[in-house]
Amino acid sequence: MPADFEKQSYWHDRFASETAFEWLAPSATFISFLEPYLSVSGDQRVLNLGSGTSDLHVHLREKGSADVTNIDYEPLALGRGREIEKRLCGDVRTKYAVADVTRLRADLPAPSAFDLVLDKSTVDAVSCGGEAAFLAMARGVRQCLAPGGLWISLSYSAARFDLEELPFDVRVIGKVPTPKAKVTDPDVYYWCYLLRPR
Ligand SMILES: C[S@@+](CC[C@H](N)C(=O)[O-])C[C@H]1O[C@@H](n2cnc3c(N)ncnc32)[C@H](O)[C@@H]1O
């Protein structure tokens, strides 16, 4: 990814005109990986990091999740998220908040605890800002997880969470093959990670 992906100004300019876009994979694909971790009762507190112009929150509603909070540091993204939800669901029931995922403790109202934290390629954007930003995000997620809580992340990187200081045990729970220009091209995947606090 180009270095600008960690900058809010990049996303502000982009969301001024972009109304809908899915990074790495459609939300339905991501949902298929995390479905085993969704509660049947729908009462899990779900935090969607860097919601952008994705329809992930709509898919979570369709799966019965009744307590979804979408955060993004770019306010335009939250407006786009509301528009998508209203258009596809007829009303707005998920929550929206401006927050920086590298400053979760400071930006989320205290006390905030979530059973499931999701990110679809937001960790990739944050990682463009370097290891300190990545670790700040990881530590912030760890702090806002309720006991037994999980972080599920979709990333383009096969080595995204290979860092000793990470306060999580990491397991791959899915991979998405990327399109090939030629049949002889090598297999390349996006990776879905399950992160459990250590
Ligand atoms: C690669 S896009 C992914 C968007 C969406 N999750 C999807 O799957 O299409 C990254 C998103 O994270 C947001 N973002 C990047 N850095 C952030 C940060 N430090 N705090 C909060 N949001 C951030 C961007 O505004 C953008 O919406």
Side-chain angles (χ1 to χ4, degrees), residues 1 5-6 11 15 21-23 48-54 71-74 77 99-102 119-122 125-126:
M1 279 188 172
F5 280 38
E6 88 278 18
W11 297 104
F15 297 151
F21 188 82
E22 296 299 334
W23 284 83
N48 178 17
L49 303 175
S51 46
T53 58
S54 162
I71 62 169
D72 204 291
Y73 66 177
E74 173 46 49
D100 185 329
V101 302
T102 65
D119 92 82
K120 191 160 144 291
S121 199
T122 299
V126 169

Side-chain angles (χ1 to χ4, degrees), residues 15 22-23 38 50 53 55 70 73 77-80 85 91-92 114 119 137-138 149 151 171 185:
F15 297 151
E22 296 299 334
W23 284 83
L38 289 176
T53 58
D55 61 5
N70 306 289
Y73 66 177
L78 305 175
R80 297 298 186 201
E85 187 176 355
D91 59 8
V92 175
F114 297 91
D119 92 82
M137 176 179 180
W151 176 14
R171 184 158 71 86
D185 284 349

